[in-house]
Amino acid sequence: MLKKRGKIQRGVIVFGSTFGSIAELARGQWRSDSHRRWLVPLAIFLCLTGLLLIVATTVEALAPFIYAIF
């Protein structure tokens, strides 16, 4: 039987799994043969926005305020 996880524990798992994707994106941007370094500010903005939305979904009290921004 599968164990049910709490809402906070699921949020931590999702939050922790994002760091691998962010690290791979950063490695791809900083390769010496890549001339796409102008994408770095966009990638940083998208990563921070995604992390903010993940935090907003895990903390229910903050969700209405953060969703109002967008």
Side-chain angles (χ1 to χ4, degrees):
M1 179 174 228
L2 293 175
K3 182 178 157 183
K4 277 188 116 176
R5 298 185 193 271
K7 198 169 204 176
I8 293 175
Q9 190 175 9
R10 282 186 309 216
V12 169
I13 291 171
V14 170
F15 188 71
S17 68
T18 59
F19 289 112
S21 299
I22 292 171
E24 187 166 338
L25 177 67
R27 266 184 270 144
Q29 293 296 318
W30 287 110
R31 287 189 309 201
S32 62
D33 60 344
S34 176
H35 297 289
R36 296 185 207 130
R37 291 197 178 138
W38 58 273
L39 287 172
V40 172
L42 177 65
I44 291 171
F45 173 75
L46 290 176
C47 290
L48 290 176
T49 304
L51 290 174
L52 179 69
L53 290 175
I54 289 171
V55 169
T57 58
T58 58
V59 181
E60 293 180 10
L62 293 176
F65 299 108
I66 293 176
Y67 290 142
I69 294 171
F70 296 104

